Amino acid sequence: MSPFFKSSAKQQGFTLIELMVVMVILGLISGIALTVVGGGNQKRELINEVNRLHAVLRMAAEEAIYSNSEIGVVIEPDLYEFLTYDEEEGKWTAAEPHFLRSYTLPEWISMDFQREGKEREILGSKTEQSTALDAKPSKKPSLMLLSSGEVTGFSITMQIKDDSDSRLEIKTNDQGEIILPHVEQQKEA
């Protein structure tokens, strides 16, 4: 008999089943490690949401200038949406550009809005009479991004619900720029 067909008492290498068992055990251990180490997911998500709103507000401000239109922003505790002012009808309507669509925040984020400085009159906020045909009155924006480049002074804060230490802010500075104060502080340090 040739040496190829001899059965040896010593086995070399691992069987496929042994390799599969080791792979499953490694997968379980790495899965557990990711859930333990990845505890800051909500904080990272909150930062992403704040950065997203900041970027969209800045793009909307530029869009107001380039399209020569007035853009309003409705801020509610769980969502924000953009409106454009229709001068002919004297009311606010939903914004057309795709990047200005309504956006709902995750349920674990709360958002607060405060307008700064003296009150600026919101376009279309004078007493509007709603006709019988118009059962739904137009929405009024919380802040305006004007075609002249002006921005209503504001402060928007977002935080993880029931965690005031996670509070992040978007606001206008003295020059009317939309800024992230926590990023500005990091640049100065």
Side-chain angles (χ1 to χ4, degrees), residues 122-148:
I122 300 294
L123 295 174
S125 64
K126 293 181 179 164
T127 56
E128 289 183 2
Q129 300 296 326
S130 173
T131 64
L133 296 175
D134 185 22
K136 194 167 123 180
S138 67
K139 290 187 174 187
K140 304 292 184 277
S142 307
L143 66 105
M144 293 187 304
L145 309 167
L146 302 177
S147 59
S148 63

Side-chain angles (χ1 to χ4, degrees), residues 18-32:
E18 291 171 333
L19 288 174
M20 295 291 283
V21 168
V22 169
M23 294 299 283
V24 168
I25 291 171
L26 286 175
L28 289 173
I29 291 172
S30 64
I32 292 170

Side-chain angles (χ1 to χ4, degrees), residues 49-81:
E49 292 293 341
V50 169
N51 289 338
R52 179 187 192 287
L53 177 57
H54 176 252
V56 173
L57 284 171
R58 290 180 61 125
M59 286 180 11
E62 290 177 14
E63 177 70 17
I65 294 168
Y66 295 134
S67 67
N68 196 29
S69 62
E70 316 308 331
I71 296 179
V73 185
V74 176
I75 305 288
E76 295 180 9
D78 61 342
L79 68 87
Y80 53 88
E81 65 181 302

Side-chain angles (χ1 to χ4, degrees), residues 8-186:
S8 64
K10 280 191 169 180
Q11 189 181 26
Q12 294 185 354
F14 299 102
T15 65
L16 183 59
I17 292 178
E18 291 171 333
L19 288 174
M20 295 291 283
V21 168
V22 169
M23 294 299 283
V24 168
I25 291 171
L26 286 175
L28 289 173
I29 291 172
S30 64
I32 292 170
L34 280 175
T35 57
V36 171
V37 174
N41 282 343
Q42 279 191 334
K43 180 69 173 169
R44 280 192 298 271
E45 286 284 325
L46 176 65
I47 292 169
N48 288 344
E49 292 293 341
V50 169
N51 289 338
R52 179 187 192 287
L53 177 57
H54 176 252
V56 173
L57 284 171
R58 290 180 61 125
M59 286 180 11
E62 290 177 14
E63 177 70 17
I65 294 168
Y66 295 134
S67 67
N68 196 29
S69 62
E70 316 308 331
I71 296 179
V73 185
V74 176
I75 305 288
E76 295 180 9
D78 61 342
L79 68 87
Y80 53 88
E81 65 181 302
F82 294 86
L83 308 171
T84 53
Y85 188 67
D86 184 345
E87 291 184 36
E88 291 176 5
E89 293 189 29
K91 68 179 187 176
W92 291 95
T93 58
E96 292 296 320
H98 179 70
F99 72 92
L100 295 179
R101 68 185 184 279
S102 178
Y103 184 79
T104 303
L105 295 169
E107 70 227 12
W108 48 269
I109 292 180
S110 65
M111 181 167 53
D112 297 318
F113 171 79
Q114 181 176 355
R115 194 176 8 231
E116 294 181 352
K118 63 181 183 177
E119 285 228 8
R120 178 181 293 234
E121 185 175 313
I122 300 294
L123 295 174
S125 64
K126 293 181 179 164
T127 56
E128 289 183 2
Q129 300 296 326
S130 173
T131 64
L133 296 175
D134 185 22
K136 194 167 123 180
S138 67
K139 290 187 174 187
K140 304 292 184 277
S142 307
L143 66 105
M144 293 187 304
L145 309 167
L146 302 177
S147 59
S148 63
E150 295 177 83
V151 177
T152 305
F154 69 89
S155 172
I156 299 171
T157 55
M158 286 189 198
Q159 71 178 42
I160 299 170
K161 287 185 179 174
D162 302 324
D163 182 8
S164 60
D165 293 337
S166 66
R167 192 173 200 80
L168 295 173
E169 183 178 30
I170 303 170
K171 68 179 202 171
T172 51
N173 63 11
D174 296 335
Q175 292 78 34
E177 299 168 327
I178 302 170
I179 63 166
L180 295 168
H182 65 279
V183 173
E184 299 291 323
Q185 291 170 353
Q186 289 176 353

